[in-house]
Amino acid sequence: MMWQRILAMIFKEIRQMTRDPGTVGMMLAMPLVQLMIFGFAINNDPRRLPMAIEVNDTSVFARSIDAALRNTTYFRVTRIVGAPGEGERLLKRGDVQFVVTIPVDFGRDLVRGERPQLLVTADATDPAATGNALSAIDQAVAGALSHDLIGPLAARAQGPSPVDLVIHRSYNPEGITSHNTVPGLLAVVLSMTMVMLTALSVTREVEQGTMENLLATPLRPFEVMVGKIVPYLFIGVVQMAVILLAAHFVFHVPFAGSIGLTLASTLLFMVTSLALGFTLSTIAGSQLQAMQMSFFYMLPSILLSGFAFPYRGMPRWAQWGAEVLPTTHFIRLVRGIMLKGWTLGDALPHLAVLVLMLVVLGTVAVRRYQDTVA
Amino acid sequence: MSEAPPVDLPVIDVRGLTKRFGGRTVVDNVDLAVMRGRICGFLGPNGSGKTTTLRMICGLLIPDAGEGRVLGCDIRRERAAIKARVGYMTQKFGLFGDLTIAENLEFFARVHGLDRRAERVAEALERLGLATRSDQLAGKLSGGWKQRLALAACVLHEPEILLLDEPTAGVDPQARREFWDHIHDLAAGGMTVLVSTHYMDEAERCHEIAYIAYGRMLARGTIDEVIAASHLHALQGEGAGADRLAAEIEKRPGVAMAAPFGAAIHVCGPDMAALQAAVAPWADRIAWREARPSLEDVFIHLMRGAEDHSVVAA
């Protein structure tokens, strides 16, 4: 008899589960997505990192170093530049992770045994992304030169390294992880609350039947949307203030860029996230589904956006996936402005992406959110 | 915004309203006209399309076919204007349970852009008899009070038309009586009321009724008109065991339906002579007299006569 009662419950639960295919799909998709992300996408020893070589010397040695660095699995020389300062500009914009500067008269000084300087500048905002690569660079350079230092120059290959390798960790010289994590946290915390809160608040109105009453009044969809979004913006502003103050006073994160640009970017990101939450709410049928969707959005936002793991360590497909997440672009923005001192010009491409996302999501949300029921 | 129509034109005037959900025609070619200041009862079995029709009238749904004007505004193109001048009380309590009574009213006053907000809210609270409990959360109210509050919220902006969707479901008789007194007061003040209900006694409190089943309008008019148009005749039988004869009598030719009424039996059919012939076998122990068919007789008769057209191939 007891078994009959338990069976009755089991059948009921299974039936109810099948009535909600979204939840079941989510439960089955979740492990697959996690397997993909953790199994394939995440890599804590990123290789093939983009590098620029600023060549101010045309000797055979410069070309050897170039070739040797290309041959390491850690670096992928994407740009060869000649103009002084050009390498640093690429580094700041985030186009490359490393710049190797071969100084004027590098070849001549090397032959003379004067141990010329070879400057390696790394974008160390994310210490995890650069550590292994930097330890590989020394050997690569020495190996490259030993091929050229033959015959009368063989003596140069003996003893101490023939070049003075100077490594400069830009933007985070001490390699402090929190300098990278805390600004990223701003993005993660904001997207979590903004997306989830709006998605839940709209579906709650539908679930509780208050939406029908709202729609029967002269309130227009756009007005409901703005009215719902503004209070959450205040919450977002408080969260932002807490994180930025903690970043400054507790974690001593450098603040190289303008505060105004940071605030403007954060506001833009908040509104974009709210629009996304609104869009989700027009798709979700219940608060439970809205919650699941928000969670499904948060997973890649934390793992793929560059917050928890280096973006450049991920395979191409994962990088494309990250590009469509607002969080990815906001993380670059806030790290760029705070740590690298981005100006409006540097920030513009990412701001433009966020504006585009806002326009698309806002349009979808308003179009899907009708002033009629059902 | 369109001008209000002259007094002699109906304030609700819709023709051929049709709404389909999936392959199901929920409302099928419904016409309805209600004059200013009238209370129109909207009756029909569960799932007959009453709520959908009300939603099309107040601009919450756009009909798939049909047209009409509410307060002179087109129900397709001028829905915003309609929403501003119509009050709609949903079947399910749709106010904010986590706001207080006063806060709920204040919200609707703001949404409608009313002047003298505090005054109007205070007046409404006074009328409701809730002035002393204005700080109570709306979600904590009992069913009858929730219904009163919902009504107060949807008449706050003094709408010209009030649409009520089964407003008295689950409310005790005392509260129902007060509710209907209130509705009549509002109608006397010029408000037009369209109210859906299942209760026959409530139908009889309306100036006129409209009966819808399977999405189709089956009868319209005053109660006398609807009963007359049904061409039904009824007999009331009293005597020993009269109430137990229903099943047997209903099988006789000429009898549309038979139902026990206390100790008596109520029989009706389309032809009086046939009806009398049908009950003749029991004439010895039961006294039959002619009776007026009830609204319930008419509605059940109409519903049985109507086929379920609502399911069509998609």
Side-chain angles (χ1 to χ4, degrees):
Chain A
M1 270 318 284
M2 183 190 78
W3 280 110
Q4 213 165 358
R5 292 192 295 266
I6 291 176
L7 270 178
M9 281 303 293
I10 291 174
F11 286 139
K12 176 196 79 87
E13 286 300 317
I14 292 172
R15 285 224 165 98
Q16 287 178 319
M17 255 186 235
T18 57
R19 298 288 141 83
D20 188 2
T23 302
V24 178
M26 202 80 94
M27 285 189 299
L28 298 178
M30 196 64 87
L32 290 179
V33 171
Q34 296 197 2
L35 276 172
M36 296 277 279
I37 292 179
F38 285 107
F40 299 116
I42 290 172
N43 175 10
N44 268 322
D45 184 20
R47 305 205 170 217
R48 297 181 50 71
L49 296 166
M51 172 185 256
I53 299 183
E54 190 180 306
V55 187
N56 299 311
D57 176 270
T58 48
S59 68
V60 60
F61 303 110
R63 284 195 293 277
S64 301
I65 289 171
D66 176 6
L69 290 175
R70 282 172 191 269
N71 283 338
T72 65
T73 50
Y74 278 108
F75 308 104
R76 181 167 49 96
V77 178
T78 52
R79 303 287 283 269
I80 307 275
V81 292
E86 177 72 6
E88 192 159 351
R89 205 178 55 79
L90 290 171
L91 197 69
K92 185 176 177 189
R93 275 219 319 240
D95 291 348
V96 296
Q97 187 92 25
F98 299 94
V99 176
V100 172
T101 310
I102 298 173
V104 181
D105 298 333
F106 175 78
R108 195 197 64 194
D109 294 351
L110 184 70
V111 171
R112 288 184 185 167
E114 287 175 5
R115 296 196 73 226
Q117 281 196 341
L118 188 64
L119 179 65
V120 179
T121 319
D123 174 352
T125 43
D126 186 356
T130 46
N132 289 344
L134 282 180
S135 43
I137 210 166
D138 210 347
Q139 212 176 344
V141 171
L145 295 178
S146 67
H147 290 292
D148 294 328
L149 296 172
I150 44 173
L153 293 174
R156 302 274 180 265
Q158 312 298 317
S161 175
V163 294
D164 180 11
L165 195 66
V166 179
I167 293 176
H168 184 65
R169 289 181 176 82
S170 276
Y171 313 124
N172 187 0
E174 292 159 84
I176 299 170
T177 308
S178 65
H179 287 187
N180 188 53
T181 313
V182 174
L185 202 60
L186 182 61
V188 169
V189 166
L190 283 177
S191 53
M192 189 153 17
T193 37
M194 297 296 101
V195 172
M196 202 177 286
L197 281 180
T198 26
L200 283 179
S201 105
V202 178
T203 42
R204 188 173 57 228
E205 301 255 17
V206 175
E207 228 171 43
Q208 295 184 342
T210 49
M211 188 55 88
E212 191 179 354
N213 259 332
L214 288 183
L215 295 175
T217 69
L219 271 171
R220 287 155 197 270
F222 174 74
E223 295 162 352
V224 173
M225 224 173 118
V226 172
K228 278 202 166 284
I229 279 178
V230 168
Y232 292 123
L233 274 182
F234 281 108
I235 293 179
V237 167
V238 172
Q239 290 179 326
M240 171 180 73
V242 168
I243 294 173
L244 289 182
L245 289 174
H248 184 71
F249 291 107
V250 182
F251 297 100
H252 308 291
V253 178
F255 207 124
S258 114
I259 292 189
L261 190 56
T262 310
L263 297 186
S265 314
T266 311
L267 222 54
L268 174 62
F269 176 65
M270 279 192 246
V271 179
T272 309
S273 298
L274 289 167
L276 175 66
F278 223 96
T279 307
L280 292 184
S281 77
T282 64
I283 300 167
S286 65
Q287 290 191 69
L288 179 67
Q289 281 182 11
M291 194 78 180
Q292 289 170 332
M293 285 182 187
S294 316
F295 185 67
F296 217 70
Y297 167 72
M298 282 317 294
L299 197 67
S301 283
I302 291 175
L303 299 176
L304 299 186
S305 64
F307 169 71
F309 305 100
Y311 172 86
R312 291 203 167 107
M314 301 191 301
R316 185 58 57 86
W317 59 265
Q319 292 187 348
W320 278 111
E323 288 295 331
V324 302
L325 299 169
T327 319
T328 307
H329 295 275
F330 180 61
I331 281 183
R332 288 179 196 160
L333 272 170
V334 72
R335 282 180 180 162
I337 298 167
M338 285 179 71
L339 303 178
K340 298 173 158 187
W342 275 8
T343 56
L344 183 60
D346 301 313
L348 216 49
H350 298 291
L351 288 174
V353 173
L354 284 183
V355 168
L356 180 72
M357 287 177 173
L358 173 61
V359 169
V360 171
L361 288 169
T363 312
V364 172
V366 170
R367 287 185 70 106
R368 284 196 54 97
Y369 182 78
Q370 295 295 320
D371 61 343
T372 52
V373 292
Chain B
M1 195 188 284
S2 311
E3 283 299 304
V7 200
D8 55 332
L9 280 179
V11 285
I12 298 175
D13 189 7
V14 294
R15 286 171 306 281
L17 285 195
T18 301
K19 186 75 194 176
R20 298 180 201 95
F21 292 119
R24 222 177 115 76
T25 304
V26 176
V27 173
D28 189 3
N29 202 21
V30 162
D31 299 349
L32 186 66
V34 185
M35 306 294 285
R36 184 176 294 276
R38 301 281 280 179
I39 301 175
C40 177
F42 199 21
L43 289 104
N46 291 323
S48 55
K50 298 191 296 289
T51 299
T52 305
T53 307
L54 289 179
R55 284 174 169 176
M56 286 191 278
I57 291 172
C58 71
L60 273 178
L61 278 178
I62 300 170
D64 294 323
E67 58 190 54
R69 294 193 162 264
V70 170
L71 294 164
C73 302
D74 188 280
I75 57 166
R76 290 170 186 279
R77 283 180 294 277
E78 296 171 289
R79 289 182 298 123
I82 291 175
K83 286 176 179 182
R85 296 165 67 192
V86 170
Y88 172 50
M89 181 171 156
T90 51
Q91 192 171 347
K92 195 181 159 197
F93 180 67
L95 299 192
F96 306 100
D98 47 1
L99 294 188
T100 68
I101 294 164
E103 287 164 348
N104 265 296
L105 293 175
E106 202 182 287
F107 171 76
F108 285 98
R110 274 181 198 276
V111 161
H112 283 284
L114 301 182
D115 58 349
R116 307 186 292 110
R117 266 202 313 275
E119 232 173 290
R120 284 175 195 263
V121 170
E123 279 168 20
L125 287 170
E126 199 62 50
R127 263 201 309 278
L128 273 171
L130 281 173
T132 54
R133 291 157 69 181
S134 62
D135 290 333
Q136 197 176 328
L137 293 183
K140 302 271 185 224
L141 288 171
S142 68
W145 284 106
K146 275 185 180 165
Q147 170 240 42
R148 286 197 197 192
L149 174 60
L151 179 63
C154 68
V155 298
L156 202 60
H157 62 293
E158 294 166 10
E160 290 159 78
I161 296 179
L162 185 56
L163 304 174
L164 305 167
D165 196 1
E166 294 186 21
T168 56
V171 170
D172 68 55
Q174 163 82 14
R176 264 174 66 191
R177 162 82 45 108
E178 286 170 15
F179 188 82
W180 275 92
D181 289 345
H182 191 182
I183 298 296
H184 273 274
D185 286 345
L186 292 170
M191 203 179 277
T192 310
V193 182
L194 180 56
V195 50
S196 76
T197 178
H198 286 298
Y199 300 114
M200 293 303 143
D201 63 313
E202 292 192 344
E204 301 195 12
R205 284 172 159 269
C206 300
H207 297 129
E208 59 196 84
I209 52 176
Y211 184 76
I212 183 174
Y214 307 118
R216 294 185 164 200
M217 186 68 80
L218 298 182
R220 268 171 64 191
T222 64
I223 291 168
D224 289 337
E225 284 167 359
V226 167
I227 291 175
S230 73
H231 302 295
L232 273 185
H233 300 275
L235 287 174
Q236 184 101 352
E238 277 173 59
D243 55 323
R244 294 186 210 132
L245 295 173
E248 209 174 327
I249 292 185
E250 205 169 67
K251 290 187 199 124
R252 307 268 303 166
V255 176
M257 57 198 135
F261 254 83
I265 183 166
H266 188 79
V267 182
C268 56
D271 181 72
M272 186 46 107
L275 205 57
Q276 272 163 341
V279 302
W282 292 277
D284 51 336
R285 50 191 181 99
I286 289 165
W288 298 99
R289 62 179 175 78
E290 235 178 280
R292 178 181 187 252
S294 69
L295 260 187
E296 196 171 292
D297 293 334
V298 175
F299 290 157
I300 292 174
H301 180 64
L302 284 172
M303 195 180 82
R304 287 186 183 168
E307 282 172 63
D308 190 345
H309 297 283
S310 59
V311 181
V312 294

